[in-house]
Amino acid sequence: MNRSRGFTLLAVVPLLLVVAGAIESPQYTVVHSESDFEVRLYRASVWMSAPTDEISFEKATKFGFHRLFQYIQGANLNSSRIRMTAPVLTSIVPGAGPLHSSAYFVRFYIPVKFQASPPVALTELNLHSDRWESHCIAVRQFSGFARDSNVIKEAEKLAISLSQSSWANLTEFSDKNTYSIAQYNSPFHFIGRVNEVWVDVGGSEVPGCESSHAYTY
């Protein structure tokens, strides 16, 4: 399948799924809330991850999700079809890519039905599953489309808000995934779009937020 056709699938299929009904998302509890951000305690979960060597956020998200889309449409060893979930998460590691560009990992939340034993992706898709322990994430919401031109600015706004709060020294900026952009809507959804910046936090006395984020592959 060529890339241009992949873009068509990327745009149309999630739209149909959004219209069809509610989409499953990772479960969390809000443990702290302020006017411009909140801290959530997420339950343990499993994600399918697509590393990509693209050098822009938008291209990385499109091409990474195209591979994930093939996976959920049956390109796995079980030939299982997996329902769409939200958000599509693009984790960004500044300076870890080619020529000190950012590195990107596009992630799909595995539905509860498959969490215990996620179908193994076909080798050519270059996907791997990430098992996340229960941990806390600081979240800032923003509207519109997530673009190369605004995701860094939104991450900086969250960093400033955290620096002026009781969570100032608890943000895991040194973690392997410095921050992530969560997108909840189809590309054809123009009004009331919901995006979020996610940053891991740890070391708090808030129950569940004592430890930093840990990945198990």
Side-chain angles (χ1 to χ4, degrees):
M1 181 179 293
N2 61 42
R3 284 185 170 182
S4 61
R5 186 178 177 188
F7 286 169
T8 301
L9 291 172
L10 174 64
V12 174
V13 174
L15 173 67
L16 296 177
L17 289 168
V18 169
V19 172
I23 289 182
E24 188 175 336
S25 297
Q27 297 181 324
Y28 66 86
T29 301
V30 176
V31 296
H32 180 88
S33 182
E34 298 200 15
S35 60
D36 54 354
F37 77 93
E38 65 185 22
V39 177
R40 301 171 182 168
L41 172 59
Y42 276 87
R43 296 184 184 180
S45 59
V46 179
W47 299 67
M48 191 59 65
S49 180
T52 173
D53 57 4
E54 297 293 339
I55 60 173
S56 84
F57 165 81
E58 291 178 66
K59 288 183 178 180
T61 301
K62 287 178 180 178
F63 294 138
F65 183 75
H66 177 55
R67 285 151 53 204
L68 291 166
F69 175 75
Q70 293 179 71
Y71 168 74
I72 67 176
Q73 288 297 296
N76 55 73
L77 296 185
N78 298 349
S79 298
S80 298
R81 296 177 68 88
I82 303 170
R83 290 182 60 86
M84 186 62 195
T85 62
V88 172
L89 193 69
T90 304
S91 298
I92 304 166
V93 189
L99 300 176
H100 302 291
S101 62
S102 294
Y104 300 91
F105 299 84
V106 186
R107 294 187 163 106
F108 170 84
Y109 170 70
I110 298 294
V112 170
K113 176 181 178 180
F114 295 101
Q115 288 269 317
S117 183
V120 176
L122 297 184
T123 304
E124 58 266 30
L125 293 181
N126 187 26
L127 305 177
H128 62 263
S129 60
D130 293 344
R131 293 189 178 273
W132 293 10
E133 296 179 3
S134 177
H135 68 289
C136 285
I137 297 175
V139 177
R140 170 187 168 83
Q141 191 173 107
F142 64 100
S143 59
F145 285 88
R147 304 290 196 196
D148 290 304
S149 59
N150 65 356
V151 293
I152 295 176
K153 294 177 182 178
E154 294 296 338
E156 290 174 344
K157 290 177 182 178
L158 176 57
I160 291 171
S161 296
L162 288 167
S163 71
Q164 298 171 346
S165 75
S166 58
W167 299 83
N169 298 318
L170 304 175
T171 306
E172 296 295 319
F173 285 111
S174 61
D175 194 72
K176 64 186 294 184
N177 296 310
T178 305
Y179 65 96
S180 299
I181 303 296
Q183 299 183 73
Y184 289 84
N185 305 109
S186 146
F188 287 173
H189 188 116
F190 297 103
I191 300 175
R193 294 186 62 82
V194 177
N195 312 290
E196 294 171 342
V197 182
W198 289 10
V199 175
D200 292 342
V201 295
S204 169
E205 295 181 357
V206 174
C209 299
E210 300 90 349
S211 301
S212 61
H213 189 175
Y215 295 82
T216 305
Y217 298 106

